[in-house]
């Protein structure tokens, strides 16, 4: 089952665009976001292999995205020529009606 971002998240940051030659080494090995941070790996060219801990690797092709679950270990690997960036989201809280 494909993951999606929760409806109540708002983007707060984005990385620069990476390629197969510029992807930081830290992204190639297990790492995680902060406990409150969701992420979206957005592939604009080529393909990327996205591996979440205890999950089968997923191939993300151009025009598609992979969801990063808060604080979950994951890593990426270029699958040939690739261009991608990562967007970061946090859940928003809505004030109760009449507040």
């Amino acid at each position: 089952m494909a993951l999606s971002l929760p409806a109540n998240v708002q983007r707060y940051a984005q990385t620069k665009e990476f390629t197969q030659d510029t992807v930081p080494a830290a992204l190639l090995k297990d790492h995680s976001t902060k406990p409150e941070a969701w992420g979206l790996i957005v592939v604009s060219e080529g393909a990327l292999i996205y591996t979440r801990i205890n999950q089968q690797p997923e191939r993300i092709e151009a025009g598609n995205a992979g969801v990063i679950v808060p604080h979950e270990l994951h890593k990426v690997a270029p699958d040939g020529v690739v261009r991608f960036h990562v967007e970061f989201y946090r859940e928003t809280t809505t004030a109760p009606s009449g507040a």
Side-chain angles (χ1 to χ4, degrees):
M1 180 167 115
L3 285 175
S4 58
L5 290 173
N8 65 329
V9 295
Q10 182 174 9
R11 188 169 76 173
Y12 68 89
Q14 178 177 317
T15 66
K16 67 179 188 172
E17 190 170 66
F18 303 119
T19 69
Q20 69 283 352
D21 298 322
T22 63
V23 59
L27 299 184
L28 300 172
K29 56 187 175 184
D30 286 344
H31 63 283
S32 67
T33 61
K34 295 177 183 175
E36 70 279 358
W38 287 83
L40 196 64
I41 304 166
V42 180
V43 179
S44 55
E45 179 184 345
L48 190 68
I49 304 300
Y50 171 43
T51 305
R52 297 170 49 218
I53 188 103
N54 299 324
Q55 302 289 322
Q56 289 294 318
E58 172 185 353
R59 188 172 190 264
I60 306 171
E61 297 181 356
N64 293 303
V67 174
I68 302 169
V69 176
H71 208 60
E72 180 181 69
L73 288 177
H74 63 279
K75 62 184 173 183
V76 299
D79 190 11
V81 174
V82 68
R83 190 174 300 277
F84 72 99
H85 69 271
V86 181
E87 299 172 356
F88 295 98
Y89 294 80
R90 67 171 60 105
E91 292 185 41
T92 59
T93 55
T94 307
S97 298

